[in-house]
DNA sequence: TAGAATTTCTATAATTCTATAGATTTTATT
DNA sequence: AATAAAATCTATAGAATTATAGAAATTCTA
């Protein structure tokens, strides 16, 4: 057994994958446990071997969905790239995630609020940590004089994450578009604006 | 009778309002016709006097939600303001809509995809018309030399609408924030970028 | 290969939700 | 006030969905 992952872990991840695909397609409330089970080729009841509830499946998808984004921001903070390079790197990373793991990104963006507030703790934690990391990046850029000093950091981060998450709402519908070009233009707009 | 609106029309609009509030709060699938009826102080079954189905209620909310935005863009195209002024005006208008009609904006942004594709015609029509109007504005700005020539119009419009709709996801949770400051900073970022 | 552990299945209870039909109440009209 | 029209209510059929319990099948291990 060279595999690190146990049989169970592999199958569990397949279940999370299936949930991600179904939630991305129909939305949390629009999708049923039956849909997920069918995608896994098991019966509806068997799904409960992997998740204690439909909600737990959504939470698993969301946590998986933000994992790499957070890790990537952490790694970017270690390296000391320029602000412009950092922004471009984040955009490229987001685009490639959107390509490789579209379902997770979509579910995280659109469905995480379906988890009732009282059980949203772990996801809020991750997502506000993501915001904190971006704030650090922006603050450092201001200190270094790479970013306009008078811009409010909170609003800037919100605007930037807005740009990021908006991509997922249209990018996957345009299959012929060049992801490189999208990342380039978004970063140019964010960094240098649209005015001539 | 000085009123233009009939009794029925008033009550119908109250029903659309209630649906908007409930859908914004719980999402389309998360909300029930019972919730809407309770908000209107009628019984669940009575709701069907106003809507033939729950889906029809969502469609009504969405169409109402985009109405003023479209009308405002049309009026902006008539006036011949500069690109910068136009962008600022759109942001101000969006912020004020978000203040006065938050429920409609939220439902339009987050729930319109709950209408099955085969019945999404009228909403897609409005929403792609909105995009078309923005494309016209951007194209004119490029022709006048007010906007960078090499920016792809389609991507720019997507980025801009992404900025706009992202505001609704956080603005209403921050009650102490100054809407004027938000509009100013968003337009500065979009027009002139973030780099120092 | 026998027994243990894991995984999946069957069947169903319990609940929830949409939508309809016909009765009833309220409001408007003459 | 009598009648007509509009608005709401009651009661329920019918469908869908989550979650559970225990049986059956499969896979692993010694």
């Amino acid at each position: 057994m060279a595999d690190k992952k146990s049989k169970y872990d592999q199958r569990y991840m397949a279940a999370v994958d299936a949930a991600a695909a179904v939630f991305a397609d129909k939305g949390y409330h629009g999708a049923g446990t039956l849909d997920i089970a069918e995608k896994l080729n098991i019966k509806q009841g068997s799904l409960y071997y992997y998740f204690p509830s439909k909600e737990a499946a959504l939470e698993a998808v969301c946590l998986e969905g933000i994992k790499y984004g957070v890790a990537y921001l952490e790694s970017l903070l270690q390296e000391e790239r320029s602000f412009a390079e950092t922004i471009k790197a984040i955009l490229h990373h987001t685009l490639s995630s959107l390509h490789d793991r579209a379902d997770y990104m979509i579910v995280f963006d659109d469905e995480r609020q379906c988890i009732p507030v009282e059980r949203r703790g772990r996801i809020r934690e991750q997502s506000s940590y993501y915001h904190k990391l971006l704030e650090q990046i922006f603050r450092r850029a201001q200190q270094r004089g790479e970013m306009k000093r008078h811009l409010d950091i909170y609003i800037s981060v919100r605007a930037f994450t807005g740009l990021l998450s908006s991509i997922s709402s249209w990018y996957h519908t345009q299959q012929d578009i060049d992801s490189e070009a999208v990342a380039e233009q978004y970063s140019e707009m964010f960094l240098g604006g649209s005015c001539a």
Side-chain angles (χ1 to χ4, degrees), chain A residues 20-52:
Chain A
V22 167
F23 290 153
D25 187 34
K26 302 187 165 190
Y28 175 71
H29 291 293
T33 52
L34 179 63
D35 301 302
I36 304 174
E38 273 174 357
K39 186 142 295 204
L40 265 179
N41 286 317
I42 60 179
K43 301 293 172 181
Q44 182 265 336
S46 309
L47 201 64
Y48 286 75
Y49 182 67
Y50 295 103
F51 304 113

Side-chain angles (χ1 to χ4, degrees), chain A residues 65-97:
Chain A
I66 200 175
K67 201 164 75 176
Y68 300 100
V70 164
Y72 189 69
L73 285 198
E74 280 175 336
S75 77
L76 272 181
L77 262 170
Q78 298 294 341
E79 313 174 27
E80 301 253 329
R81 299 205 221 177
S82 73
F83 182 53
E85 286 305 312
T86 305
I87 292 298
K88 283 183 202 168
I90 296 172
L91 275 159
H92 275 107
H93 185 260
T94 302
L95 263 296
S96 84
S97 299

